[in-house]
Structure formats: structure tokens, C-alpha cells
Amino acid sequence: MKTINCVGADFGASSGRVFVGSFNGESLELFEVHRFENTPVRINQSLFWDFLYLFNNLKIGIYKAKKQFGELHSIGIDTWGVDYGLVDKRGDLLSNPYHYRDLRTKNAIEEVSRIVSLDKIYEITGIQFMNFNTIFQLYIDYKTRKDIMKNVDSLLFMPDLFAYFLTGVKVNEYTIASTSQLIDAQKRGWSDELIEKLGFEKRIFNDIIYPGNVLGKLTPDVQEELEIGAIPVIAVGSHDTASAVAASPFSDGKTTVYLSCGTWSLMGVELESPLINQNSFNKNFTNEGGVENKIRFLKNITGLWLIQQIRSTWSKKYEEVSFNKISELAQKSNYEYAIDPDSDEFLAPIDILAEIKKWCKNHFGKEPQDLGDIAKAAYSGIVQKYKKTIEEIEELTGFSISKINMVGGGIKDKYLCELTAKETKREVIAGPVEATVLGNIMLQLIALGHVKDLREARELLKKSVQFEIYTGR
């Protein structure tokens, strides 16, 4: 067969990347064609997506892919969850989308709970409570931005928004919509009950499209600008974790957890139907939509955001330091204590070094003394949370977990992989690194009919990607 070239665009926490996945019928090869910063913009005290810059770089990436590979067959887009843009009837973006780390929703969970009980919200959605979930962002929009909200025609999650300005089609992809805490987990569609009770306007929510379907084709304007044909844009697992989980090839149901490891760590198992009960609510587990109508039963854990912030702050205050150096110093440290990575102090700190020192002093009476100690406290906190989460998954599901399929950019940190295996006392299978983009491209190949289903796609990955094993010994 001729080579099929699929463009996968991934907007991560610190960078955007455009890849081409080339499939020759037997193996899949990945090529990076464009990389650019994805840094939130602070205006006054608010954080926003730099949407116009990012959209322009998406087009640059597609153009570069066309120049380098000639014929392109499809495009897929993924981002992190919960964030959205608001579009008016003319199709114009009403304001820059807020970034989820903006603090405007700090008290929103408490306020929403006075309207609808948290028990009820969880019973319907099965989604973990985090104050930046779409339900709480949208509540604050209706409360504080009435002039804007009266002009809204469509709410488009970030992958939907990028796709809309490429195709002119307004839809909400299922996996990204499921992060909103407004999707009925059993019905796999919008919860009219929650939307009505919270005073949201049903008309702003679009039809749901499921992964593996054609969303639309590039508009004539985009075709002319990029000197390209009417290429289809595919609805992939447009929540980046949905794509990463799709590319976790060792997910086998009851013995292996997936761990998508990057700025955030997302650890869980695939289920056929939601697991929603008082115990899962108390332990704050989430039931997000996956590809092929599966449920991603997981917990969100603050991940390498902590190490990224440590590096950034140390480099600004003292001297430039690399991730490798931080990892090396952490391994040499004898500091015995671990922070809680999900503590509120670490969500959007101005000085992560000071926050970790203060947290340790308040909880243990002993501050970390140097960079190695600070990093060790962060690493230890992350992996201890992994261990606890696996134990909770076993309790909630009845599964017996013996392996962890660790995917994403975080697996380049060998110390993290080794520490995870050692702390959890489970075998770690690390790979693939570019799980999100690979999952994105796999769904495009399924939609185009070149790969049968997710099972076949995962077998393809096992032949196309190298893996590393950590035993924890």
C-alpha cells in the first residue's frame, strides 16, 4: 500500500507540537515537523491561552508537513481538558480562552454546591472534583461576564476551537467534553439536568462527535492559505489523556494500570462502563470518556509540573539548571520527607522553592536544605501518590495490579521511572514517549480505514516502539 501521512497536533502544557505519522501498512513512524511554545499569558491577575499565536503555529505546522511529505491524508488535534473558547453567531471568538490555572474559580466548587449538591453532580457525571473543571469555569463566566455570555452562540473546547477555525464545523468531541463535568456518564451525552439547574443555556452546547469520525474538511480559505487540498480533520481522542491512553499498548484490563506522565500524572484503568459509587466519590476518582466508548477510570495527580517549576524558579533566582541535574541531585539527597503534590499551594505558585520549604516545615518541622532536597521531596511526593492510587484502584475495582504502563514525556526521567517501580513494588513498562501524538494518529488511521480498531492499533505500536522495563529492585 502507499504510505499514509497523518498530521497530529498536540498542545501540551509547555509546548505545542505538530507531527506526521507515516504508516506503510506494517509499521508507524513518527516525525516532528514543528514545535513552538505554549505559555499562558498573564494579563493583570488572570491567565489566558495565547490562542491566535497557537492557531497560527498550527497552520505553520500543517504547511511544513505538506512541504516535507507532499500528500497528507488527515489531521487530528488534541489538548488538555476543561478549557474552552466562546464563539458568537458570526463565528468570532469573543475573548481569549482562560487557562485552567487561573485562580478565578478558587471558591467555585463551594458556590456551585449550594445550587446542586456535589453528591448529585458526581452521581450524574462521575468526574473528579477540581475547581478548574469546565462546570466551575462556566459558572464563574455566567456570574461575572454577563455581557459576554449573552452573545455566546457556541462553547467549543480547545481542540474543538482549533478544528472549528480550520473547518467551520462546530461540534464537541466526546472525550474532551467528558472532562467538563457536564456529561452524563451513563448516557455519554450532555446532562440537561445540570445545565438547567446551573442556569446555563443549552443552546451553547454542540452536538457530540465521537473519536474515529471525520469532523470536517479544511475550508477553502485555509486550503488557499496553506496551498493544500480539502484534507479531512478527524475527531481523535482530543483530550490528550484519551489519546495517550489509547497508545498505552499494555493496557489489558485487570492487571495493568496506565500512567500518562507529564505535567500532570493520570493513573487509571479502562472500563466498559462508569464506576460511580460513594467510595469512588470519597476517593475523588474520575470517569472520563475514552476512545471506542470506553471509560477512563482514573485519578489526576500533579506530576512533573513540580519539577518544571523547580527548574524554572531555581534558574531565575540562582543559576541555570537542567532537568538531568535536578534528577541527579535528588538521587543523592538523603531528605526523608515527601510533599503532597496536590496541595493547593502548588497549583500556581509564584515561588515553588519557598512553597515546598514552607510546606515541609509546617508538616514535618524540617525544611529541605538545598536543590537536591527540594527535588527529592517533590519526587517522593509524586511516587507515593502513585502507590496510594494503585491501592485505591485495586480496592474500588477488585483488580490485582502487577504492572504499570508508563507513557508520555515523563518517562524520559529515568529516576522517576525507577522510583515509581521501587515505591509501588510493581513492574514498570515505559513507553511510548510520544503516546499522545501516537494515539491521536492511531485514531486517524482507524477513521481512514487503514487500521481496524484500537486492539489492532496497539499491536501495531508494540511493533513500532521501543520499551524499557523497570523492576524496582
Side-chain angles (χ1 to χ4, degrees), residues 306-307 309-311 313-314 317-318 326-327 329-340 346 351-360 366-382 415:
L306 296 169
I307 308 303
Q309 291 301 298
I310 288 170
R311 176 177 181 265
T313 305
W314 188 272
K317 293 183 70 172
Y318 304 110
I326 292 172
S327 175
L329 292 172
Q331 291 181 68
K332 293 178 180 177
S333 169
N334 293 318
Y335 191 72
E336 300 175 350
Y337 303 103
I339 63 169
D340 176 358
F346 308 129
D351 184 341
I352 189 73
L353 308 176
E355 293 293 349
I356 289 177
K357 284 186 174 184
K358 183 170 71 174
W359 200 95
C360 289
K366 185 177 179 181
E367 283 188 5
Q369 295 302 305
D370 55 26
L371 177 57
D373 288 354
I374 292 170
K376 179 70 176 294
Y379 275 113
S380 297
I382 293 168
Y415 176 57

Side-chain angles (χ1 to χ4, degrees), residues 217-260:
K217 294 185 177 181
L218 298 182
T219 65
D221 285 346
V222 172
Q223 292 177 50
E224 181 179 3
E225 179 184 359
L226 302 184
E227 301 173 5
I228 203 168
I231 298 171
V233 176
I234 306 294
V236 297
S238 66
H239 181 214
D240 53 9
T241 309
S243 281
V245 171
S248 301
F250 296 96
S251 295
D252 61 353
K254 299 184 179 181
T255 63
T256 305
V257 294
Y258 56 78
L259 173 53
S260 178

